[in-house]
């Protein structure tokens, strides 16, 4: 499997970080979201950062392997030069050839180990991106759920606002009724003061005599004055 370009992986990582930061800012402005989603996002980014470090280490191993490969090619060229220049020195040549083949064997063993490590790495790489895809799918579902909760909160807020306006109108009506009651009480108090002054000045006795005299001439007398009726009450 071909290695993905480094700039492409870097852009994908930056895009995910920006996306996460944008979502966090938006949610902090709109409504306070559950902490579980933020913790999962932070854990995911930490996991991805650790995996990026593994990618960096693996790239360094690739560069080391390439350096060893070029060193081995230099040894091959040196060995070929020795073959061309030292046919007469056959025994030292075969000793060097033996050493060369031992180094070649060690090189191929190292390459075999490297290929196994590369195979394990790419298996882990595929698992990682599969988990990453599932994670962002779950994150999108949570984001949609948060949007629905936000809409519900806005609807409840509108209802609460309407109830508050209605309650305020009722309080205004109650205040107006209280003002009317206070006005009536003041009028009643003024009448009571006038009535008290009237009976205190002796006017009540004269009015009672007039009523009694009228009673001899009128069998069905008319209604009494409010002040007299109120004093008797």
């Amino acid at each position: 499997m071909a290695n993905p370009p480094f700039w492409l992986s870097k852009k994908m990582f930056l895009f995910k970080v920006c996306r996460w930061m944008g979502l966090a800012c938006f949610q902090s402005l709109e409504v306070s979201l559950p902490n579980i989603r933020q913790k999962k996002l932070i854990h995911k980014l930490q996991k991805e950062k650790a995996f990026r470090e593994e990618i960096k280490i693996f790239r360094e191993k690739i560069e080391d392997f390439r350096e060893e490969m070029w060193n081995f090619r230099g040894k091959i060229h040196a060995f070929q030069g020795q073959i061309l220049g030292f046919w007469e020195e056959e025994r030292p040549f075969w000793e060097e050839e033996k050493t060369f083949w031992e180094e070649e064997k060690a090189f191929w063993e190292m390459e075999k180990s490297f290929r196994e490590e590369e195979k394990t790495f790419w298996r882990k790489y595929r698992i990682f991106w599969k988990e990453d895809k599932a994670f962002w799918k779950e994150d999108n579902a949570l984001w949609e759920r948060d949007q629905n909760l936000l809409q519900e909160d806005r609807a409840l807020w509108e209802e609460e606002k309407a109830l508050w306006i209605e309650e305020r109108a009722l309080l205004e009506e109650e205040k107006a009724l209280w003002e009317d009651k206070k006005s009536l009480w003041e009028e009643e108090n003024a009448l009571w003061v006038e009535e008290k002054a009237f009976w205190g000045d002796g006017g009540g006795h004269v009015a009672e005599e007039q009523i009694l005299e009228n009673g001899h001439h009128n069998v069905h007398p008319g209604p009494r004055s409010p002040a007299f009726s109120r004093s008797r009450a």
Side-chain angles (χ1 to χ4, degrees), residues 131-149:
E131 293 177 353
D132 183 78
K133 183 178 179 180
F135 172 82
W136 287 114
K137 184 177 180 180
E138 183 181 358
D139 181 75
N140 289 332
L142 291 173
W143 185 81
E144 291 177 0
R145 188 194 67 178
D146 293 337
Q147 291 299 312
N148 294 331
L149 291 175

Side-chain angles (χ1 to χ4, degrees), residues 42 57-58 65 93 96 111 154 165 197 224:
I42 293 172
I57 294 172
F58 185 73
F65 176 76
F93 167 76
E96 291 180 2
E111 184 183 20
R154 286 179 177 175
I165 293 173
R224 298 181 180 180

Side-chain angles (χ1 to χ4, degrees), residues 2-3 6 18 23 30-31 38 42 48 58 60 69 81 85 96 99 103 115 118 128 162 186-189 201 227 233:
N3 295 334
F6 178 73
C18 292
L23 287 173
E30 291 293 333
V31 68
Q38 294 180 357
I42 293 172
E48 185 168 350
F58 185 73
E60 292 175 357
M69 184 174 65
E96 291 180 2
T99 303
E103 292 177 353
R115 296 303 178 187
E118 182 183 25
F128 172 82
E186 290 176 352
E187 292 178 1
E188 184 180 358
N189 191 33
D201 293 339

Side-chain angles (χ1 to χ4, degrees), residues 62-175:
I62 291 175
E63 294 298 327
D64 294 338
F65 176 76
R66 287 178 178 175
E67 185 176 358
E68 290 292 334
M69 184 174 65
W70 284 110
N71 292 336
F72 184 73
R73 285 185 179 181
K75 290 180 180 180
I76 291 175
H77 293 158
F79 179 72
Q80 290 176 349
Q82 288 179 1
I83 291 176
L84 295 176
F86 299 101
W87 286 106
E88 64 275 13
E89 300 177 2
E90 185 175 3
R91 180 174 293 179
F93 167 76
W94 291 117
E95 292 294 331
E96 291 180 2
E97 183 181 20
K98 182 179 179 182
T99 303
F100 170 79
W101 292 121
E102 289 176 354
E103 292 177 353
E104 183 182 27
K105 182 179 179 181
F107 172 80
W108 291 121
E109 291 294 332
M110 183 181 67
E111 184 183 20
K112 182 179 178 181
S113 176
F114 174 81
R115 296 303 178 187
E116 291 295 330
E117 187 175 357
E118 182 183 25
K119 184 178 179 181
T120 303
F121 172 81
W122 287 117
R123 187 183 299 111
K124 186 177 181 180
Y125 185 85
R126 288 191 296 270
I127 294 173
F128 172 82
W129 286 114
K130 187 181 293 183
E131 293 177 353
D132 183 78
K133 183 178 179 180
F135 172 82
W136 287 114
K137 184 177 180 180
E138 183 181 358
D139 181 75
N140 289 332
L142 291 173
W143 185 81
E144 291 177 0
R145 188 194 67 178
D146 293 337
Q147 291 299 312
N148 294 331
L149 291 175
L150 179 61
Q151 293 296 329
E152 293 177 2
D153 290 341
R154 286 179 177 175
L156 291 174
W157 183 82
E158 291 295 336
E159 293 179 2
E160 184 177 358
K161 182 179 179 181
L163 291 174
W164 180 80
I165 293 173
E166 184 178 356
E167 182 179 359
R168 185 173 181 181
L170 291 174
L171 289 174
E172 291 294 334
E173 292 179 2
E174 185 178 357
K175 183 178 179 181

Side-chain angles (χ1 to χ4, degrees), residues 16-51:
K16 291 177 181 178
V17 173
C18 292
R19 178 184 178 188
W20 175 78
M21 292 178 67
L23 287 173
C25 291
F26 174 74
Q27 292 165 358
S28 64
L29 289 174
E30 291 293 333
V31 68
S32 179
L33 301 178
N35 292 331
I36 184 171
R37 182 181 172 218
Q38 294 180 357
K39 291 180 180 179
K40 291 179 71 177
L41 283 171
I42 293 172
H43 178 72
K44 175 62 181 177
L45 291 176
Q46 291 176 348
K47 185 177 179 181
E48 185 168 350
K49 182 179 179 181
F51 184 73

